[in-house]
Amino acid sequence: MSRPIYAEIDLNALKHNLARIRECAAGRDVWAVVKANAYGHGLENAVKAFADADGLATIDLCDAERARNAGWTRRILLLEGFFDASDIEPLQRLKVETIIHSPWQIEILRRAKLEDVRCHIKVNSGMNRLGFLPVEVNTVYDQLTAIKGVRVMGVVTHFANAEPSYSAQKPASVEKQLSRMGRLAHSATAACMANSAGILFHPEVGGCAVRGGIALYGVSPDSHISSEELGIVPAMSLKAKIIAIQEIAAGEAVGYGSRWIAKRPSRIAVVACGYADGYPRSMPDGAPVWVEGQIAPLAGAVSMDMLEIDVTDIPKAALGSEVELWGKNLSVNKVAAACGTIGYELLCALARRVPVRVNESEADRTSEHADG
Ligand SMILES: *Cc1c(COP(=O)(O)O)cnc(C)c1O
């Protein structure tokens, strides 16, 4: 009997979300972003579920190798490009396209023997992370096309504030970034700009392609807007079971450091999920945990392999009850907000030791369609 914790990955939800993002992309090509082990969902699962995407985008050549081994024959894009001259061989062998964001990468290309390297010029339009300034793009284009075996596919930029909760007054609003892009943004045949938030909230962005990440996994890029409102379905549910119940008197404390102290006689359930599973230790008392159709508050510091919840008001919660740490019933964004982070971080931090169950049942498909 293995430990009663697992991450359920719903392939039909992934497929549904891709269809939804494709609809919002309105004719633009869709790159499915699968970095960080497909945001914790498993790269091989993503390869299967995103078969209809135009390409996969990631940051690691190892991912490209894994995707090819899993049968992916369409395009693959390296979002930060290559990191070293030794990457050029696998890049060409695996037919991976690369971002070019810095002069040192062009230098590596100049010195290599190239057959067919497809490049996308990264433009820094105001986020100040990666890329060339818009005024440098023409020169970079000329430098790249002068190298034998190099093809320039287009330009790429990234938005710092495409989520509606970010105020339009920010120094790098979508509007300001688009304006800095100038005519580059209007190259409908060669610009790839929008991430999930850009796709969902800024149809004016345009371009020829989009890069969908978090929304493909059914999680809203803006924690103030729900998945339901966006028509996407959470694909990962982290579930564990109650393995012990403690009946304690008022004044008794729970867990390391005795952080949580009972104000009344309390029923405390011990859940088989801890920080070594990817549930943050920084989670405060009161953080939401779903059990038996209700929300129970976290009680006490999260341990390495267990956490405790107050089920005094949830009599149905008992030994063996299934608990959802995040997923379809409890949004990962809500859980993340309780400890001051975002859903992205929790999904990516899912620990390798957590068993993954892949769900693709006919029943799911039917209920999903019934929900529209
Ligand atoms: C991660 C990433 C994305 C996807 O972002 P989401 O917010 O998850 O949609 C798109 N583009 C680049 C360059 C990225 O690094």
Side-chain angles (χ1 to χ4, degrees):
M1 173 72 195
S2 58
R3 212 168 140 246
I5 178 169
Y6 65 98
E8 192 173 73
I9 305 299
D10 179 350
L11 294 193
N12 290 315
L14 294 174
K15 288 178 197 167
H16 166 92
N17 298 333
L18 175 62
R20 172 82 185 115
I21 285 301
R22 192 174 275 296
E23 189 177 272
C24 299
R28 290 171 290 178
D29 281 354
V30 177
W31 292 99
V33 180
V34 295
K35 60 194 179 186
N37 197 27
Y39 291 53
H41 294 65
L43 181 63
E44 284 74 13
N45 295 328
V47 164
K48 210 188 231 183
F50 298 151
D52 289 339
D54 298 289
L56 299 181
T58 185
I59 58 156
D60 201 324
L61 269 168
C62 304
D63 290 350
E65 182 118 49
R66 268 170 78 190
R68 292 291 185 226
N69 287 340
W72 185 263
T73 56
R74 295 189 177 185
R75 302 170 75 183
I76 300 180
L77 173 64
L78 277 189
L79 290 169
E80 294 173 17
F82 53 86
F83 298 96
D84 188 86
S86 63
D87 293 337
I88 301 297
E89 184 279 318
L91 194 76
Q92 299 199 85
R93 174 169 45 85
L94 298 164
K95 296 198 188 320
V96 174
E97 301 174 37
T98 180
I99 294 276
I100 299 293
H101 62 76
S102 289
W104 63 261
Q105 292 177 316
I106 303 178
E107 214 35 61
I108 286 178
L109 289 178
R110 279 203 187 103
R111 289 187 198 147
K113 208 177 141 286
L114 307 177
E115 270 156 34
D116 181 22
V117 174
R118 299 182 185 195
C119 299
H120 300 249
I121 301 172
K122 176 83 172 216
V123 184
N124 172 13
S125 56
M127 187 167 177
N128 293 315
R129 201 172 58 175
L130 290 181
F132 299 94
L133 293 174
V135 295
E136 299 172 314
V137 171
N138 276 340
T139 310
V140 171
Y141 179 89
D142 291 343
Q143 289 172 346
L144 284 171
T145 49
I147 304 170
K148 193 171 165 284
V150 168
R151 241 197 293 179
V152 176
M153 310 297 289
V155 295
V156 169
T157 198
H158 195 56
F159 294 118
N161 299 286
E163 294 76 8
S165 336
Y166 287 121
S167 109
Q169 308 312 314
K170 293 262 183 186
S173 64
V174 170
E175 196 187 350
K176 286 175 193 144
Q177 289 195 256
L178 279 177
S179 137
R180 283 197 186 182
M181 286 291 283
R183 59 164 187 86
L184 294 172
H186 303 298
S187 159
T189 53
C192 174
M193 298 179 280
N195 57 358
S196 295
I199 300 165
L200 291 162
F201 308 119
H202 293 278
E204 77 278 12
V205 162
C208 69
V210 300
R211 304 180 305 276
I214 195 83
L216 291 178
Y217 304 96
V219 174
S220 170
D222 188 313
S223 57
H224 297 92
I225 297 170
S226 69
S227 300
E228 299 81 69
E229 285 170 271
L230 299 174
I232 52 178
V233 181
M236 181 199 293
S237 299
L238 177 59
K239 296 177 177 182
K241 282 190 172 161
I242 294 178
I243 57 170
I245 299 271
Q246 302 290 346
E247 307 272 357
I248 64 173
E252 288 284 317
V254 171
Y256 287 118
S258 299
R259 185 176 78 187
W260 190 89
I261 297 181
K263 293 194 177 73
R264 54 176 178 170
S266 301
R267 231 171 129 250
I268 301 299
V270 181
V271 180
C273 174
Y275 59 78
D277 298 303
Y279 192 90
R281 185 177 173 280
S282 58
M283 207 60 91
D285 289 336
V289 174
W290 188 94
V291 61
E292 299 291 353
Q294 285 178 256
I295 297 296
L298 184 74
V302 173
S303 318
M304 188 184 287
D305 315 302
M306 287 172 277
L307 56 80
E308 284 140 318
I309 55 178
D310 178 5
V311 293
T312 313
D313 299 324
I314 309 177
K316 273 183 76 183
L319 272 180
S321 284
E322 195 168 74
V323 169
E324 186 177 295
L325 287 316
W326 61 70
K328 288 197 188 338
N329 297 297
L330 174 59
S331 123
V332 71
N333 278 336
K334 274 198 187 142
V335 179
C339 73
T341 187
I342 52 177
Y344 291 78
E345 190 178 2
L346 299 197
L347 296 178
C348 296
L350 183 76
R352 288 177 65 146
R353 80 174 192 184
V354 177
V356 172
R357 289 190 199 168
V358 180
N359 198 338
E360 196 184 14
S361 75
E362 207 51 47
D364 278 7
R365 210 178 325 245
T366 319
S367 69
E368 193 182 298
H369 284 187
D371 293 340

